[in-house]
């Protein structure tokens, strides 16, 4: 045997052994997968933007149920209405919910939303004293305004003003807050519209902060979407303000020096304009509104056994306050009692991430993550059990590929989570790649194809 032949055989033997060892390690690394490196903050932002663009439902604040239902035939006197599950954003009932209607004093919820954002940023506090320029005195408000009766020389806190907004629907309180935060009503209204635009609400627009003007405009669907965000971000608003049944103002500490001698002359006890607080179990908000152009409006929320629903009714029937309240109570009770009798929330707090092999890729693995988070579901009534009992029987199963060959694309769907109740599928949540994995070079590609035989 020649020297050259021996060298050749040795090289071939070495390459064969090396390839075998490399391939063994490669296959074992695919069988015993490790999670890929965590995404950087920038990568997370890029992934979320990509998911938002590909799955429009991710950005919708309210949306249809993920399973088919027979539309409810409810007797609602209001011309326009919507009912949602606040946890999931699922629409349970709607009636001409895209009609544009003035929100009237429901507008004040947007004022409160901005105040809470300012407090969250550390710019305001509830015990802060707020100055009262003449523009916000009750005597200078338009005729027929709802008022908390702000006046010259009073000493009021932000807590007082928010109570006046939420409980007695004071237009004067709305103006006082607008002036304090933005320096002018006009600039504050710009802020209101900017906040609404950032939520993606295109059919809602404001020209003043109290709701007095018929040129303020929204739809039941969009106002329900806004109210859902408000409750999600600032749930403390319910206990602090919206659930309170009465409000006394001005109290002795609010009065100017020249009125302190006879404080009882000035104190007024006003009662919450939301009469469902007295009539509906679990009701703790939210806000009424009335001008002639809108009829009787109500954004209403109630919570029982951990499940919260929200309804918005607009163009409510009635001539005069007594009739208006009667119809609001009837409509609100009908919607909420039906919702609690037919739906409950399933809350899944588990975090899902599944590592899948990518044979033939530059990286050995990729994580598959749910497209929609969090993983909550509005569960329907099933004959023979309560909605909550049905929610307790929800099963979650995972469907994953054995591997993803050669390359994976960020935000592309490769698996799914399946939510089912007694064998019936209620919702499918896609599982998408959290990053892009490019195809490896020729040796890696060949190794990946061969590895498929062992995976």
């Amino acid at each position: 045997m020649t020297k050259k032949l021996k060298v050749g055989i040795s090289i071939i033997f070495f390459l064969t052994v090396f390839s075998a060892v490399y391939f063994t390690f490669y296959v074992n690394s695919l069988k015993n997968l490790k999670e890929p490196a965590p995404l950087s903050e920038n990568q997370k932002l890029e992934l979320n933007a990509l998911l938002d663009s590909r799955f429009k439902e991710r950005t919708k604040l309210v949306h249809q149920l993920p399973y088919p239902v027979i539309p409810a035939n409810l007797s609602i006197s209001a011309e326009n209405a919507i009912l949602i599950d606040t946890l999931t954003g699922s629409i349970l009932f709607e009636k001409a919910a895209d009609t544009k209607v003035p929100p009237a004093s429901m507008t004040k919820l947007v004022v409160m939303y901005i105040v809470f954002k300012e407090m969250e940023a550390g710019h305001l506090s509830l015990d802060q004293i707020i100055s009262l320029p003449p523009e916000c005195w009750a005597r200078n408000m338009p005729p027929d305004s709802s008022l908390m009766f702000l006046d010259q020389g009073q000493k009021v806190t932000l807590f007082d003003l928010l109570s006046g907004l939420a409980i007695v629907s004071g237009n004067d309180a709305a103006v006082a807050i607008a002036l304090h935060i933005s320096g002018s009503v006009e600039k504050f209204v710009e802020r209101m519209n900017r906040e609404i635009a950032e939520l993606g609400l295109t059919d809602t627009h404001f020209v003043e902060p109290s709701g007095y003007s018929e040129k303020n405009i929204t739809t039941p669907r969009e106002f329900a979407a806004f109210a859902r965000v408000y409750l999600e971000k600032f749930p403390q608003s319910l206990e602090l303000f919206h659930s309170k049944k009465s409000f006394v103002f001005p109290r002795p500490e609010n009065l100017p020096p020249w009125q302190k001698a006879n404080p009882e002359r000035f104190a007024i006890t006003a009662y919450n304009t939301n009469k469902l607080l007295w009539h509906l179990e679990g009701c703790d908000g939210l806000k009424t509104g009335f001008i002639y152009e809108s009829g009787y409006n109500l954004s209403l929320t109630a919570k029982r056994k951990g499940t919260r629903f929200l309804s918005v009714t607009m163009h409510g029937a009635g001539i005069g306050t007594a009739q208006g309240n009667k119809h609001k109570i009837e409509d609100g009770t009908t919607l909420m009692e039906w919702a609690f009798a037919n739906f409950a929330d399933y809350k899944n707090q588990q975090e899902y991430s599944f590592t899948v092999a990518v044979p033939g890729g530059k990286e050995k693995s990729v994580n598959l993550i749910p497209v929609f988070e969090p993983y909550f579901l509005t569960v329907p009534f099933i004959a023979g059990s309560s909605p909550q009992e049905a929610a307790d029987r929800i099963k979650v199963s995972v469907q994953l590929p054995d591997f993803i060959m050669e390359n994976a694309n960020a935000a592309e769907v490769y698996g799914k989570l399946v939510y089912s109740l007694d064998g019936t599928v209620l919702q499918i949540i896609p599982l998408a790649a959290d990053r892009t994995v490019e195809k490896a070079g020729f040796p890696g590609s060949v190794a990946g194809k061969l590895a498929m035989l062992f995976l």
Side-chain angles (χ1 to χ4, degrees):
M1 184 181 295
T2 66
K3 186 177 181 179
K4 287 185 176 180
L5 182 58
K6 288 181 178 179
V7 171
I9 291 173
S10 298
I11 292 173
I12 292 172
F13 177 77
F14 174 77
L15 290 175
T16 301
V17 172
F18 176 80
S19 298
V21 172
Y22 168 80
F23 183 71
T24 300
F25 275 105
Y26 184 76
V27 171
N28 284 335
S29 69
L30 293 176
K31 285 184 176 181
N32 302 288
L33 277 179
K34 294 181 179 179
E35 285 191 34
L39 298 178
S40 68
E41 291 303 316
N42 283 339
Q43 287 174 318
K44 289 178 183 178
L45 291 173
E46 291 172 1
L47 175 63
N48 282 326
L50 193 55
L51 289 170
D52 286 346
S53 67
R54 292 191 179 180
F55 302 95
K56 300 299 183 184
E57 290 293 319
R58 277 172 53 92
T59 58
K60 286 188 176 180
L61 296 172
V62 296
H63 50 77
Q64 299 301 321
L65 286 163
Y67 49 84
V69 292
I70 299 173
N73 183 20
L74 301 180
S75 178
I76 302 297
S77 60
E79 293 181 22
N80 314 105
I82 194 168
L83 170 67
I84 69 168
D85 182 340
T86 60
L87 184 70
T88 65
S90 294
I91 299 168
L92 311 180
F93 172 84
E94 60 180 293
K95 176 183 178 182
D98 293 313
T99 302
K100 293 182 178 180
V101 186
S105 281
M106 293 196 310
T107 299
K108 295 180 176 75
L109 287 179
V110 182
V111 177
M112 295 186 71
Y113 176 76
I114 292 172
V115 170
F116 276 109
K117 289 193 75 171
E118 289 291 297
M119 287 196 293
E120 189 176 55
H123 301 153
L124 291 174
S125 63
L126 289 177
D127 58 359
Q128 185 171 342
I129 302 298
I130 307 298
S131 59
L132 301 178
E135 298 97 311
C136 69
W137 297 348
R139 70 184 83 166
N140 295 326
M141 290 295 104
D144 300 323
S145 290
S146 52
L147 301 167
M148 68 176 289
F149 295 101
L150 296 177
D151 206 351
Q152 182 179 8
Q154 290 175 348
K155 182 180 179 181
V156 300
T157 63
L158 182 61
F159 184 89
D160 291 328
L161 293 178
L162 290 176
S163 298
L165 281 177
I167 300 170
V168 300
S169 198
N171 289 10
D172 44 359
V175 173
I177 288 174
L179 293 172
H180 182 83
I181 290 178
S182 299
S184 72
V185 169
E186 292 74 21
K187 287 184 178 179
F188 187 79
V189 171
E190 289 177 8
R191 169 77 180 271
M192 293 173 69
N193 288 319
R194 188 165 64 251
E195 295 283 354
I196 288 297
E198 288 176 2
L199 296 177
L201 306 179
T202 58
D203 289 329
T204 300
H205 182 77
F206 300 101
V207 298
E208 55 83 36
S210 72
Y212 185 83
S213 174
E214 77 282 1
K215 293 181 180 178
N216 290 336
I217 208 73
T218 190
T219 69
R221 190 184 311 279
E222 288 208 346
F223 204 83
F226 161 75
R228 182 191 175 209
V229 173
Y230 175 68
L231 290 175
E232 183 178 292
K233 285 182 175 289
F234 309 115
Q236 70 271 29
S237 66
L238 294 171
E239 183 178 356
L240 286 172
F241 302 107
H242 299 295
S243 62
K244 302 301 184 186
K245 292 182 178 180
S246 63
F247 177 56
V248 178
F249 187 86
R251 301 179 303 281
E253 64 267 25
N254 302 125
L255 293 172
W258 58 88
Q259 293 178 346
K260 285 185 179 292
N262 298 296
E264 64 281 352
R265 283 186 53 201
F266 305 99
I268 299 173
T269 299
Y271 294 93
N272 200 309
T273 56
N274 179 11
K275 303 308 175 187
L276 272 298
L277 292 171
W278 286 266
H279 293 274
L280 178 67
E281 178 191 349
C283 178
D284 52 5
L286 196 55
K287 188 73 188 73
T288 63
F290 171 81
I291 56 174
Y292 291 107
E293 293 83 357
S294 73
Y296 289 92
N297 296 342
L298 174 64
S299 52
L300 174 69
T301 188
K303 182 178 181 179
R304 299 178 191 171
K305 297 180 180 179
T307 296
R308 178 177 295 281
F309 298 114
L310 168 77
S311 67
V312 175
T313 51
M314 306 184 78
H315 268 146
I319 300 175
T321 302
Q323 280 192 19
N325 283 334
K326 174 178 177 294
H327 288 294
K328 283 188 292 187
I329 291 169
E330 290 174 350
D331 285 353
T333 300
T334 296
L335 289 166
M336 289 294 168
E337 293 297 349
W338 175 80
F340 284 114
N342 288 278
F343 298 95
D345 286 332
Y346 167 76
K347 302 173 185 178
N348 187 350
Q349 305 290 358
Q350 183 174 343
E351 292 188 9
Y352 291 104
S353 179
F354 305 96
T355 304
V356 176
V358 187
K362 287 186 176 180
E363 296 181 52
K364 292 185 178 69
S365 64
V366 67
N367 287 331
L368 301 187
I369 60 172
V371 167
F372 304 111
E373 296 184 41
Y375 324 113
F376 300 147
L377 177 65
T378 305
V379 181
F381 166 80
I382 301 294
S385 65
S386 70
Q388 187 56 55
E389 289 170 336
D392 293 339
R393 298 202 305 274
I394 290 291
K395 302 294 183 185
V396 183
S397 60
V398 185
Q399 296 182 16
L400 297 173
D402 293 329
F403 52 82
I404 301 170
M405 190 60 206
E406 294 189 325
N407 69 288
N409 297 313
E412 188 169 326
V413 173
Y414 295 98
K416 55 188 175 182
L417 290 176
V418 180
Y419 285 34
S420 59
L421 173 60
D422 298 341
T424 299
V425 173
L426 295 182
Q427 185 171 19
I428 295 175
I429 299 179
L431 296 172
D434 70 342
R435 69 196 70 205
T436 293
V437 175
E438 296 179 352
K439 182 178 178 179
F442 177 75
S445 179
V446 171
K449 287 182 171 66
L450 291 174
M452 289 171 57
L453 302 174
F454 298 89
L455 294 179

